[in-house]
Amino acid sequence: MEFNSIKTGFFSMEIGLKDSIPTFAGGLGVLAGDALKSCADLQLPVGGLTLLYRKGYFRQRIEQGRQTEEEQSWDPSEELKKLDNRVVVRIKGEDVHIGCWMYELEGVTGQKRPVLFLDPDTEQNSDYFRRVCDRLYQGDQKDRIAQEMILGIGGVKMLQSLGYSIEKYHMNEGHTSFLALELLRKLAETSDDYSKRLDSVRSMCVFTTHTPVPAGHDRFDKGLVTEMAGEYLPPEPEARIFDGNELNMTHLGLRFSGYINGVARKHSRVSKKMFPEHDIESITNGVHLRTWISEPFRKLFDRYIMEWQEDPFSLRAALNIPEQDIWDAHMCAKKMLLDDVNERTGIGMDMDAFTIGFARRFVMYKRPDLIFHDLERLRKIAREKGAVQIIFSGKAHPGDSAGKGLIDQITDIQQQVNQADDNINVAFLDNYNMKIAKRMISGCDIWLNNPRRPHEASGTSGMKAALNGVPHFSTLDGWWLEGHIEDITGWCIGLHPKDPKFDEDVSPDDEAEDFYDKLESNILPVFYDDKDRWQKIMRNCIAINGSFFNTHRMMQQYVMEAYFK
Ligand SMILES: *Cc1c(COP(=O)(O)O)cnc(C)c1O
């Protein structure tokens, strides 16, 4: 590893590289992992920083509709290399010693980039601090502040201890914002002019916001923060850290960043309304090609598209692949998925039946139950237009009882229809992870997403589906506003942005109605009766959306617009 090869530190509370390193919960972490993989492919001087969660997020089991949670224990020494470096972070007046593990991410050219996992489980620390990073996104405010101090402050110190000379610090969401306080503190050794120091910190910091849902932003009690992180708070009266009696981690990150972006065009407009004091640019998310291409499509691209692995933009040339070959590759991927579903559940899903996939975090605004809004209508459509199979997967946060209720509800309906209907079959795969995601996005016939607008910042699973020729059926939110061409790359649900009522709150009744109308009149008739058109749509998904919504394009934009400007 050439240590001077890293100029940007990419900080993220979760990084998802693969299932055997279970330090991620969902989209934010998988995106961070995909971004870093593209950095290694493109030989960009970027390295990742996150925390080592020895018990992961959680392993999900569904028993009689109930989600139960188990530890995801794993052995870091099987996956990562332990480094000797130690740094100290002062938390609540105590010296907390932080160790570090490294994963060497190997790019397509063989070049390597580091991903660093900070670890407070060192023998000098008290039991509390040794265990404080055991689990991702769990624990009380105090635990979360400690975790975020270890990541932000410990991360800056660790990069220095490893000898990197970092020019840019990328805060991937507000959990990482404490890093700015450490940069500010270090600069105080050479300058006592606060506004100059603030300018220097801003010139080094980049912030990406990922959620337009206010509850998604970390907020901590001012008294508690002062108690825990007092030594890192700038003493200058003009320093703006708190909002009234709280610390909002997103506001903190925004104030110290010279470049800020949202993760899709629509999302940056929504973010501007939430944070009117700041300029918010937009870089739309992507996915990492080699990670998300299924085996049958990898073989197909190897045959028809030169150097697609090095150059994702070359997927445009998918337009040259015979439709039948795309269909055959898809049927291979579908067989792998259905074999897996049938083996796990014994449901007996059918290769010829239209198969809808829905998998993501189970939270209210993503509305996994919308498809069952009018069960009688769905039954009628499946009877008249052709059989429908639906595969669900997804975890609810252990503290989100509404999200868990949704799993309960879906599994209830599942039992009802699987017994009563010949034309509808429903499966729920437990413990959603990257492996299941890859099976599902490539093996379903259509990928469904129906978040309540404008709550989906970007969404990435639909991009993974597009790469594998699977069309998207979604409300016009997040990335889909940019990727949607009706009847060409998929279908939309509900209003179009040209509609004057687009920015108003819409009733779920109307959106469900539109969902059923499209399924009945535009989608099932093409799938069952016009295979030629269906296959052309599949091919468009790869050529139009796969060639653009990837992390190679995304990282090149970060380089041009955020890192080296
Ligand atoms: C891609 C992915 C996500 C994110 O999907 P969204 O469509 O953005 O919700 C979540 N979890 C896993 C395991 C993934 O692979």
Side-chain angles (χ1 to χ4, degrees):
M1 180 86 49
E2 308 145 58
F3 281 95
N4 55 9
S5 62
I6 299 306
K7 293 193 166 61
T8 296
F10 183 95
F11 285 62
S12 186
M13 192 72 171
E14 45 171 316
I15 294 182
L17 298 168
K18 50 183 179 172
D19 289 321
S20 51
I21 306 180
T23 57
F24 61 98
L28 182 73
V30 174
L31 175 79
D34 279 13
L36 291 164
K37 289 173 187 173
S38 277
C39 290
D41 287 342
L42 294 165
Q43 308 182 18
L44 297 176
V46 182
L49 275 107
T50 190
L51 297 174
L52 188 86
Y53 306 99
R54 283 172 195 273
K55 294 182 178 162
Y57 182 47
F58 68 90
R59 178 173 293 116
Q60 178 200 52
R61 255 186 242 287
I62 312 278
E63 280 156 7
Q64 279 138 17
R66 290 262 141 68
Q67 167 177 300
T68 60
E69 295 116 23
E70 290 163 18
E71 287 175 2
Q72 282 175 306
S73 288
W74 60 296
D75 181 358
S77 65
E78 282 179 7
E79 298 289 344
L80 312 173
K81 194 161 106 192
K82 189 162 191 170
L83 306 180
D84 294 331
N85 302 58
R86 291 278 169 94
V87 296
V88 172
V89 180
R90 297 270 301 167
I91 308 178
K92 216 180 170 210
E94 214 176 299
D95 276 351
V96 180
H97 300 261
I98 316 290
C100 185
W101 300 72
M102 178 166 71
Y103 184 80
E104 288 183 315
L105 202 50
E106 187 172 334
V108 71
T109 62
Q111 282 236 357
K112 288 178 178 168
R113 291 293 178 270
V115 181
L116 305 171
F117 294 78
L118 302 172
D119 177 18
D121 189 5
T122 61
E123 59 285 354
Q124 296 107 308
N125 291 337
S126 65
D127 238 25
Y128 172 75
F129 286 116
R130 291 186 77 153
R131 300 271 69 85
V132 77
C133 293
D134 273 359
R135 291 182 187 83
L136 171 62
Y137 296 146
Q138 283 155 76
D140 59 15
Q141 283 221 350
K142 179 174 171 237
D143 306 335
R144 294 290 291 271
I145 294 170
Q147 292 181 353
E148 295 181 17
M149 288 178 72
I150 292 168
L151 175 59
I153 297 164
V156 171
K157 291 186 164 192
M158 188 57 75
L159 287 169
Q160 191 180 20
S161 153
L162 289 166
Y164 296 116
S165 52
I166 299 295
E167 294 169 9
K168 293 281 180 188
Y169 294 85
H170 190 157
M171 302 181 229
N172 192 44
E173 196 56 290
H175 319 107
T176 61
S177 303
F178 281 130
L179 76 83
L181 297 184
E182 171 60 13
L183 295 177
L184 200 63
R185 195 193 58 80
K186 254 182 28 197
L187 288 166
E189 292 164 7
T190 52
S191 158
D192 51 16
D193 182 337
Y194 181 77
S195 72
K196 275 211 184 108
R197 276 155 57 213
L198 177 60
D199 285 345
S200 321
V201 172
R202 280 192 181 142
S203 72
M204 287 188 278
C205 287
V206 170
F207 188 95
T208 302
T209 172
H210 287 266
T211 173
V213 183
H217 299 266
D218 272 341
R219 287 147 64 212
F220 299 127
D221 175 70
K222 179 178 177 179
L224 191 59
V225 172
T226 312
E227 198 184 311
M228 307 270 298
E231 293 170 57
Y232 297 95
L233 298 175
E236 290 80 0
E238 67 266 40
R240 272 186 71 200
I241 304 295
F242 298 102
D243 299 276
N245 257 332
E246 67 175 27
L247 174 65
N248 179 316
M249 291 297 280
T250 303
H251 292 173
L252 183 70
L254 294 174
R255 282 182 197 134
F256 287 101
S257 292
Y259 178 92
I260 302 162
N261 72 291
V263 291
R265 281 205 301 270
K266 168 77 177 173
H267 174 234
S268 45
R269 285 199 294 275
V270 173
S271 302
K272 253 178 235 165
K273 281 196 196 131
M274 289 175 75
F275 312 114
E277 285 175 44
H278 302 280
D279 288 332
I280 300 182
E281 311 296 329
S282 140
I283 296 179
T284 303
N285 280 165
V287 296
H288 183 249
L289 235 68
R290 281 182 301 133
T291 302
W292 295 110
I293 281 197
S294 64
E295 190 58 22
F297 275 88
R298 195 182 59 71
K299 286 194 188 133
L300 186 67
F301 293 169
D302 280 346
R303 236 166 83 207
Y304 285 101
I305 305 177
M306 273 177 26
E307 295 181 350
W308 65 271
Q309 301 212 24
E310 289 80 16
D311 174 19
F313 308 116
S314 67
L315 289 188
R316 298 188 313 287
L319 289 179
N320 203 28
I321 303 177
E323 288 98 322
Q324 188 60 43
D325 289 358
I326 290 187
W327 183 251
D328 292 345
H330 174 65
M331 288 308 267
C332 276
K334 186 170 179 178
K335 183 162 189 323
M336 293 196 304
L337 171 66
L338 297 193
D339 283 352
D340 195 16
V341 169
N342 291 340
E343 195 173 307
R344 281 158 170 260
T345 64
I347 285 176
M349 288 206 162
D350 174 3
M351 279 295 287
D352 294 326
F354 182 69
T355 305
I356 301 175
F358 185 103
R360 46 187 54 83
R361 274 187 308 128
F362 267 58
V363 283
M364 286 305 266
Y365 79 83
K366 298 200 184 224
R367 303 188 298 192
D369 53 340
L370 194 83
I371 188 169
F372 300 127
H373 194 78
D374 181 350
L375 191 53
E376 287 318 309
R377 174 101 197 258
L378 184 65
R379 286 180 157 138
K380 183 164 177 288
I381 293 171
R383 252 192 335 264
E384 290 172 1
K385 302 288 168 168
V388 173
Q389 301 179 140
I390 311 158
I391 304 174
F392 288 96
S393 191
K395 295 176 177 178
H397 185 276
D400 179 8
S401 51
K404 288 178 170 180
L406 287 167
I407 295 178
D408 206 349
Q409 214 178 317
I410 300 282
T411 45
D412 253 9
I413 297 172
Q414 177 193 2
Q415 289 197 329
Q416 219 177 304
V417 297
N418 286 7
Q419 280 166 13
D421 295 74
D422 292 336
N423 302 307
I424 305 179
N425 247 330
V426 178
F428 195 110
L429 301 181
D430 57 6
N431 201 36
Y432 189 47
N433 59 17
M434 290 177 72
K435 182 167 175 235
I436 296 177
K438 189 164 174 175
R439 276 270 147 85
M440 285 184 67
I441 50 99
S442 58
C444 290
D445 295 312
I446 204 164
W447 196 248
L448 176 66
N449 191 20
N450 43 40
R452 228 183 92 204
R453 290 183 292 109
H455 288 71
E456 183 91 315
S458 165
T460 51
S461 57
M463 302 174 183
K464 298 170 190 167
L467 272 184
N468 291 282
V470 171
H472 200 218
F473 185 21
S474 168
T475 37
L476 282 166
D477 205 9
W479 82 279
W480 189 229
L481 277 160
E482 296 160 51
H484 162 254
I485 310 172
E486 188 78 2
D487 289 319
I488 303 278
T489 58
W491 295 270
C492 70
I493 300 167
L495 296 180
H496 195 271
K498 288 205 175 104
D499 193 294
K501 294 208 182 83
F502 186 71
D503 284 320
E504 293 169 21
D505 225 4
V506 236
S507 131
D509 297 336
D510 295 341
E511 288 192 333
E513 191 80 7
D514 199 48
F515 165 83
Y516 294 123
D517 290 346
K518 284 262 168 85
L519 185 66
E520 180 171 29
S521 317
N522 302 41
I523 298 176
L524 288 175
V526 180
F527 180 82
Y528 279 117
D529 307 323
D530 191 352
K531 272 284 178 300
D532 188 50
R533 230 184 99 202
W534 187 268
Q535 291 164 7
K536 285 201 166 68
I537 293 172
M538 293 185 67
R539 199 163 65 175
N540 293 337
C541 292
I542 303 167
I544 297 175
N545 285 343
S547 66
F548 183 81
F549 294 98
N550 55 69
T551 37
H552 276 49
R553 184 266 314 150
M554 180 186 96
M555 284 320 305
Q556 288 172 353
Q557 278 182 295
Y558 276 107
V559 168
M560 279 200 308
E561 290 164 34
Y563 292 172
F564 302 113
K565 206 167 180 173

